Amino acid sequence: MNTNKEIKRVAIIGAGIAGLSCARKLQSHGITVDIFEKSRGPSGRMSTRRSEEWSADHGAQYFTARDPRFIQEVQGWVQAGTAAIWKPNIKVYEAGIWRESNSQEYRYVGTPNMNSPGKHLAKDLSIHYEATVCGLERIGDQWTLQCSELTEMRGAYDFVVIAIPAPQANALLKDLDARAADIASSAQMKACWTMMAHLPNQKSTDFDSAFINQEIISWICQNGSKPMRHGNIWTIHGNPTWSQNHVESSKEDAQDQMVKCMTSLGLNCQDAEISMHRWRYASGGLENSIGFFSLPDIGLGLCGDWLNGGRVEGAWLSGMELAAEIELIKTTS
Ligand SMILES: Cc1cc2nc3c(=O)[nH]c(=O)nc-3n(C[C@H](O)[C@H](O)[C@H](O)COP(=O)(O)OP(=O)(O)OC[C@H]3O[C@@H](n4cnc5c(N)ncnc54)[C@H](O)[C@@H]3O)c2cc1C
């Protein structure tokens, strides 16, 4: 237990869905929370790429809700107009054969973009954007943070939550605490090459999205089939194993291979306008989920999808559960 001091101020590193859910719950219990986020906006991998002519969800494609707590949260997002059910016509491609998907699952998307629920959660939170935490120091029973973009250290915090992908967490933890570093370094995360493509010569297809099995790409989606989207942009994901094996390839090489695969599936990529994105840490995590990780003796916690089965729902729950644990530590200290 953190017996020295009450928990009044918490720093959270990362404004993805896990960091945001953790922050909201802590704040609702009267704890002062500051989030440090290296990007210019919230939401992390629930993200949307924008150019002057188009936009497309290029990280998470949709999310499901199975846990009653997350179902209730998503209902709130739907009521606030920040998420909606998406009912795509989904096909599956395997071994040269296309078939209808028989999945009956409810799929949700952020509206109007995948980063909208994150923006909704970020309201009324104190978030420092373009603040990449590169070091942590514990002086006495409080933490200070060093950000690459800021000259002065930020502190003093009674508890620090690290809500970032495992390899990035490990970089902060390896010289700090062996117990936390062991957890982070044992997680296996894989990359994802993402292609966003306008296919001017592709006639309309008889599917909105497709799971592709046993090929280098694993997912194709017509972004415009989602609620409140316009335009004709396809999002295509490389499969995790192929993406990881080609994580150091150039954008051009990855694009060439993915275009060849699309063409072999029957999609017309002639004169395609393409934008590529490499996610270094897209999916995966601990082999056995532990939900979150907390070290009350030094006031440190880890949350994120990689501790809780991956995906948006797992990330949100991980942040919530860590916040409940911090609240428990606070009331028993
Ligand atoms: C290509 C792709 C497809 C996906 N498809 C789906 C899907 O269809 N359905 C689904 O449920 N899930 C999907 N996911 C997974 C889903 O996006 C994640 O599970 C979820 O968004 C993870 O949230 P998080 O808060 O744990 O982490 P993140 O969203 O990664 O948030 C971490 C945040 O920390 C920030 N950060 C990192 N390091 C630092 C630092 N040192 N200092 C400050 N800030 C830092 C990052 O910028 C980021 O904003 C997909 C992910 C990808 C990449």
Side-chain angles (χ1 to χ4, degrees), residues 4 6 14 16 35 77 86 106 125 129 136 153 155 168 239 247 266:
N4 299 329
E6 211 193 332
I35 304 185
W77 295 354
W86 174 47
Y106 275 114
L125 292 176
Y129 292 111
L136 296 169
M153 302 283 279
Q168 292 167 321
N239 85 41
V247 67

Side-chain angles (χ1 to χ4, degrees), residues 256-277:
D256 280 354
Q257 291 196 50
M258 289 176 79
V259 165
K260 278 194 189 108
C261 182
M262 292 273 284
T263 307
S264 75
L265 296 174
L267 288 144
N268 188 338
C269 295
Q270 217 180 348
D271 303 324
E273 293 158 43
I274 291 174
S275 173
M276 295 291 290
H277 181 83

Side-chain angles (χ1 to χ4, degrees), residues 32-111:
T32 300
V33 180
D34 287 326
I35 304 185
F36 296 84
E37 166 56 52
K38 71 174 180 178
S39 306
R40 278 177 296 166
S43 273
R45 281 171 275 160
M46 288 180 79
S47 60
T48 305
R49 168 74 66 87
R50 246 180 226 91
S51 82
E52 273 178 23
E53 293 88 33
W54 56 266
S55 69
D57 301 332
H58 70 315
Q61 295 295 291
Y62 62 84
F63 49 93
T64 49
R66 295 166 194 161
D67 184 286
R69 294 165 293 173
F70 191 56
I71 292 172
Q72 193 182 1
E73 175 73 10
V74 172
Q75 279 167 355
W77 295 354
V78 171
Q79 274 159 21
T82 201
I85 290 180
W86 174 47
K87 291 184 178 162
N89 176 7
I90 304 185
K91 287 210 159 180
V92 178
Y93 178 89
E94 189 163 342
I97 294 168
W98 289 94
R99 63 173 167 82
E100 298 294 328
S101 159
N102 43 26
S103 157
Q104 297 295 325
E105 199 144 38
Y106 275 114
R107 294 181 167 80
Y108 295 88
V109 294
T111 49

Side-chain angles (χ1 to χ4, degrees), residues 136-157:
L136 296 169
E137 198 179 347
R138 191 160 163 85
I139 302 166
D141 57 2
Q142 293 205 307
W143 289 100
T144 52
L145 274 58
Q146 176 76 59
C147 295
S148 334
E149 299 86 347
L150 309 170
T151 43
E152 76 277 20
M153 302 283 279
R154 292 301 173 108
Y157 296 101

Side-chain angles (χ1 to χ4, degrees), residues 108-331:
Y108 295 88
V109 294
T111 49
N113 297 303
M114 193 52 86
N115 57 10
S116 303
K119 286 184 174 172
H120 173 70
L121 294 181
K123 277 181 203 151
D124 309 324
L125 292 176
S126 155
I127 307 182
H128 303 271
Y129 292 111
E130 299 186 84
T132 309
V133 177
C134 55
L136 296 169
E137 198 179 347
R138 191 160 163 85
I139 302 166
D141 57 2
Q142 293 205 307
W143 289 100
T144 52
L145 274 58
Q146 176 76 59
C147 295
S148 334
E149 299 86 347
L150 309 170
T151 43
E152 76 277 20
M153 302 283 279
R154 292 301 173 108
Y157 296 101
D158 306 310
F159 205 101
V160 170
V161 169
I162 301 183
I164 63 182
Q168 292 167 321
N170 191 37
L172 291 176
L173 292 166
K174 62 182 181 342
D175 298 323
L176 202 66
D177 187 275
R179 298 164 295 176
D182 280 353
I183 298 278
S185 62
S186 65
Q188 300 293 321
M189 294 195 77
K190 285 192 172 155
C192 180
W193 273 109
T194 295
M195 188 164 106
M196 288 144 280
H198 173 54
L199 307 177
N201 293 304
Q202 173 61 46
K203 297 204 180 79
S204 64
T205 51
D206 60 352
F207 60 87
D208 300 317
S209 61
F211 293 106
I212 312 293
N213 296 331
Q214 298 164 4
E215 302 287 341
I216 67 164
I217 64 178
S218 58
W219 169 257
I220 311 177
C221 177
Q222 174 59 260
N223 199 67
S225 69
K226 296 179 179 177
M228 297 178 77
R229 270 72 164 179
H230 307 286
N232 191 20
I233 299 295
W234 291 88
T235 299
I236 301 116
H237 287 325
N239 85 41
T241 304
W242 175 81
S243 295
Q244 186 60 40
N245 289 341
H246 293 80
V247 67
E248 299 303 343
S249 295
S250 67
K251 282 187 177 177
E252 292 73 19
D253 284 349
Q255 176 175 321
D256 280 354
Q257 291 196 50
M258 289 176 79
V259 165
K260 278 194 189 108
C261 182
M262 292 273 284
T263 307
S264 75
L265 296 174
L267 288 144
N268 188 338
C269 295
Q270 217 180 348
D271 303 324
E273 293 158 43
I274 291 174
S275 173
M276 295 291 290
H277 181 83
R278 176 184 55 195
W279 296 97
R280 263 193 192 276
Y281 312 115
S283 62
L286 295 177
E287 202 175 335
N288 299 310
S289 298
I290 55 171
F292 64 89
F293 184 69
S294 157
L295 291 170
D297 57 330
I298 58 165
L300 184 72
L302 310 179
C303 64
D305 64 340
W306 62 273
L307 292 132
N308 202 28
R311 315 195 81 73
V312 170
E313 178 170 20
W316 185 87
L317 286 167
S318 176
M320 282 289 286
E321 286 172 6
L322 176 57
E325 169 78 4
I326 295 170
E327 182 58 16
L328 195 68
I329 296 166
K330 178 182 169 230
T331 50

